[in-house]
Every structure is written in C-alpha cells, then in structure tokens.
Amino acid sequence: MSSTIWSVDEHLEDILAAVRPLEPIELQLPEAQGCVLVEDVVVEIALPPFDNSSMDGYAVRVADVKGATEEFPAVLTVIGDVAAGDAGLLGDQRVGPGEAARIMTGAPLPAGAEAVIPVEWTDGGTGGGPAATMRAHSDAPEGARGEVRVHRPAEARAHVRARGSDVRPGDLALRAGSVVGAPQIGLLAAIGRSTVKVRPRPRVVVISTGSELVQPGEELTGGQIYDSNSFALTAAAREAGAIAYRVGAVSDDADTLRATIEDQLIRADIVVTTGGVSVGAYDVVKEALSPAGDEDGSGGVDFRKLAMQPGKPQGFGSIGPDHTPLLALPGNPVSSYVSFELFVRPAIRALMGLPDVNRPTVRASLVTDKALSSPAGKRQFLRGTYDAEAGTVAPVGGSGSHLIAALAQADALIVLPEDVTSAEPGADTEVILLR
C-alpha cells in the first residue's frame, strides 16, 4: 500500500485518466437502449410522411361545411373510407363538392379534402343527433356510404397533421452524446433507422469478499452476516447505465480470489471488489492483487489511503491481458456505497463516453439540532435528505460506516470539506444528489 495520503480529487483524476471510452459498435435498436450515440442522426424522411388526420371523422372541403349548425346541418355524400395504413380504399377518387370521406386517425388526407370534421360534430351517418363515436366498418359497412350531417364548420387544415410537422428531411434528430432511451428509440424507429452507432453499455463485475458473508435467504450461524454489498453495488452499476454481473461472496483466500477474478475478465470492462483492502491480517484483496501486474509487466493494483471519511482504504489499477480496470472498495456497507458513487460511477460513465460523469451537486442550508463535527484534513460524506423546495439538507443517521439502514433513507450526500471541522446549523453546504 502506498504511504502517500491521496485526496478524493487526486484518486478520481487518476481513475478517469486511465479509463477510456469503449469502442463504438453498430447495434439494433432494442440492444442500443441505454447506450450513448457516437454520431449525429439526421432525418432522411419527413415525419409524418404525409398529411394525415388527427381525429376520427370526415374529410371535407371547407366551403361545403361553412355556416353548418345542428339546426341547419351541411348534408354531404359519403364516398368511402380512408383507414390508417390503407390509402387505397378510395382509389383515385377525390373528395369533390358536396362530398365527404370517412377518415380514421392517422389516415392520409384524401385528395380534394381540406379539413377533417370530428365525428362528434356530425350525426355519424345515422340520420340522428350528434354521434358519440364512429361505427366500426366491419359492423356497419354501409356507414362508408350514404349521407352525413355536419353540425359545425371547420377552417382549412383543421385536425390535419401536416407532412413534416414533426421533423423534415435534413433535420437533426439526435445529437452525438445522447443516451438512447425509450423516446429516442421511438424516434429512430419512426424515421426508419433500424440500427445506430453507439458505445456499448459497460460490463461491470462486482465481487464481494469475506468468509463471514452468507447469501440472503440462507441461515446465519455464529459470526456470519448477509452479503449486502454485492447486491447494492450491482444495482448501483445498473442504475449508472452498466450491464452488471454479481459474483457470490469469495472467501478469504487469495488464490481463490485471483482465480475468480481471472475467470470473470472475459465478461468485464471493469471489475469492482468490496472488502479486504484495509490493514487487517485477512484483507484478501490486498494479498491477492498487490503483487499482480498485467502479463506485459505493466499495470497492477495500487492500494491507497484517502483523506476521506468513510472510505479511507481504496485500491485502483488494472489486471489481465486487456488491462481491465479494477477498483477495490472497502467492505463496510456505507464506505462501499459512498466509494462507488465517488469513483466507480464516474468510471462507468467515462466508459460510456458521457461528458458529465459526476452526480449533480447543489448548495443547501444545513438543518441539524447541533453542529456536525468532521475530522481535520479529511473530506467527510454524510448521508442526508435534500428538500429542493426549501433549499435545505438534513443528516440521516450517524457517521458510522456500518449504518446501512440510514443509507436506505438518504437521497443525498452532505460534503464537509477537509478544512471544516464543525458545520453549524444553517451552514451553506455542498450536497451531492443521489436521486
């Protein structure tokens, strides 16, 4: 372990300097979800590709319904149906003077028509009062013929979605650097793109260490605890945008841990271990990885002391023939999670090629009954709850690195800088937002 005391910023800078964005690949839309675009996407077709109706109703000429009322309706001859996806029902027939065509939402506006009258403004072809809905073609095919009474006038282009009103050819649909989510996939599909060039989601392998760890659902015996870190960090990696794999707890045996990590490298863009990085006699991660370098003689894992609380012991380096980054985190649950947020999450976001890798921060007024103490020379991270409306933050639970219950209630980290030993109630405080 290095004898140098590293600052939080120095450790993060060292990690980000070593992590390179993953190489771009072309992916089908479903596989591209959560990935980052590496090129601008330009629209090649108009969207919508044709003038179409935004309502179920009747396509009409404006002059034919001018002055129409329920008492004195405009009576029009229905020449047929125009359904969404089937523009050929009318053939080459145009909507002429005194005529109308039944039209469904999304169907192309037929030739000759200038506006769409919602079915609720008509009698629906029944000869009665205002219609509440349009009868299904299969149930009443005669509805596509005969007459319809229109009770209200319409202006030109009423209830018509114009061709290209969403996007037009040459428009920029999505910028490089955009994360491909559900709305982006919908837009890409709508403009005809089946694949996109993206940086793939990083694959993160999470390994917890400790002979005392038992998987949830099993029975505890003396001295054992449940393995919570691997579950929490795997979930956190997925929330950060990664594909995460959780490996069951590895016992305190250096050879076993080395073999486990080597087995996992085939599916890892980054490896995260938790536990075994302090100064105890059974700190297996240090024992297993301190002498380990990459096959070409470079790399290896450097174990450090950081000027922070919680999370003083940390490890970072690379391992294996592909120089896979490895971050070794402390084993206490709060230390482990705080370390993930400060160091692993930014590394994941850097692998994705995102420009902003850190959680957002705000300034807030500290709400507490008494002053919060902080060790001199260390940056302390306390769990807290942030009230955006009031602009305040309140601590949750104590400062102990084992107090995981409070962590589940927190939505922020309160940052007390290295030169602050006491934060008074009402103090202006930096807050890292976790939600």
Side-chain angles (χ1 to χ4, degrees):
M1 176 181 283
S2 171
S3 59
T4 303
I5 302 297
W6 291 60
S7 72
V8 172
D9 296 334
E10 289 170 339
H11 185 58
L12 178 58
E13 288 170 5
D14 192 44
I15 293 169
L16 295 180
V19 173
R20 296 287 179 266
L22 299 176
E23 288 298 315
I25 58 175
E26 193 83 15
L27 289 180
Q28 297 285 329
L29 294 189
E31 285 70 47
Q33 184 172 5
C35 298
V36 177
L37 286 172
V38 296
E39 59 186 4
D40 291 343
V41 176
V42 177
V43 179
E44 296 182 2
I45 65 166
L47 191 65
F50 46 79
D51 289 354
N52 70 89
S53 176
S54 65
M55 305 286 287
D56 292 331
Y58 292 85
V60 301
R61 290 158 37 99
V62 171
D64 291 334
V65 296
K66 186 176 182 180
T69 65
E70 190 169 345
E71 184 179 2
F72 299 105
V75 181
L76 306 177
T77 300
V78 180
I79 61 173
D81 275 357
V82 186
D86 191 352
L89 288 176
L90 292 182
D92 295 330
Q93 194 173 5
R94 296 173 59 88
V95 175
E99 293 179 340
R102 281 209 320 176
I103 191 168
M104 315 306 151
T105 302
L109 190 71
E114 300 168 326
V116 172
I117 297 290
V119 66
E120 295 86 354
W121 296 5
T122 76
D123 67 350
T126 64
T133 186
M134 187 175 287
R135 293 180 296 171
H137 181 79
S138 58
D139 292 338
E142 70 281 358
R145 292 292 186 267
E147 293 181 338
V148 62
R149 288 167 172 76
V150 178
H151 303 146
R152 292 175 60 175
E155 297 180 354
R157 310 296 293 176
H159 306 111
V160 174
R161 302 176 182 134
R163 178 183 183 275
S165 57
D166 193 351
V167 291
R168 293 174 293 182
D171 284 352
L172 180 64
L174 295 171
R175 291 189 181 278
S178 301
V179 178
V180 181
Q184 290 74 30
I185 287 176
L187 173 58
L188 290 165
I191 62 176
R193 289 289 297 264
S194 62
T195 65
V196 283
K197 196 171 186 180
V198 297
R199 296 193 192 278
R201 295 168 61 196
R203 300 165 301 163
V204 178
V205 172
V206 178
I207 304 172
S208 57
T209 65
S211 298
E212 77 280 11
L213 299 178
V214 174
Q215 296 306 296
E218 298 179 8
E219 185 176 351
L220 292 178
T221 58
Q224 294 181 325
I225 60 173
Y226 287 121
D227 172 20
S228 64
N229 284 354
S230 67
F231 286 91
L233 299 188
T234 301
R238 289 173 180 154
E239 287 181 355
I243 299 169
Y245 304 103
R246 190 191 70 85
V247 179
V250 178
S251 62
D252 290 322
D253 179 80
D255 291 336
T256 301
L257 178 59
R258 273 193 296 266
T260 300
I261 292 175
E262 289 170 3
D263 287 345
Q264 294 297 323
L265 290 178
I266 192 171
R267 63 173 182 175
D269 295 309
I270 187 169
V271 176
V272 179
T273 66
T274 172
V277 295
S278 192
V279 294
Y282 292 91
D283 286 328
V284 67
V285 176
K286 279 200 312 180
E287 181 185 352
L289 299 180
S290 289
D294 296 325
E295 289 183 357
D296 60 5
S298 65
V301 178
D302 180 29
F303 291 90
R304 306 165 175 174
K305 296 177 181 178
L306 267 62
M308 64 180 287
Q309 183 182 12
K312 177 181 177 181
Q314 300 283 338
F316 172 65
S318 66
I319 191 166
D322 295 326
H323 305 280
T324 304
L326 184 146
L327 282 86
L329 311 184
N332 278 317
V334 176
S335 301
S336 174
Y337 181 75
V338 169
S339 300
F340 180 95
E341 286 292 335
L342 296 180
F343 308 123
V344 182
R345 191 177 193 276
I348 291 172
R349 308 288 281 180
L351 286 169
M352 295 175 69
L354 289 167
D356 188 4
V357 299
N358 296 308
R359 289 280 197 183
T361 62
V362 296
R363 306 294 300 187
S365 177
L366 184 63
V367 176
T368 179
D369 293 334
K370 59 181 180 179
L372 301 180
S373 62
S374 185
K378 290 187 178 181
R379 190 177 305 180
Q380 184 168 212
F381 300 89
L382 299 171
R383 288 133 290 171
T385 55
Y386 173 63
D387 186 332
E389 186 173 343
T392 60
V393 66
V396 178
S399 60
S401 59
H402 65 292
L403 300 174
I404 193 170
L407 184 61
Q409 308 301 319
D411 60 10
L413 293 176
I414 302 169
V415 184
L416 300 183
E418 291 86 343
D419 59 351
V420 171
T421 57
S422 180
E424 300 294 329
D428 181 55
T429 309
E430 180 185 358
V431 178
I432 300 173
L433 303 181
L434 302 179
R435 302 285 188 269

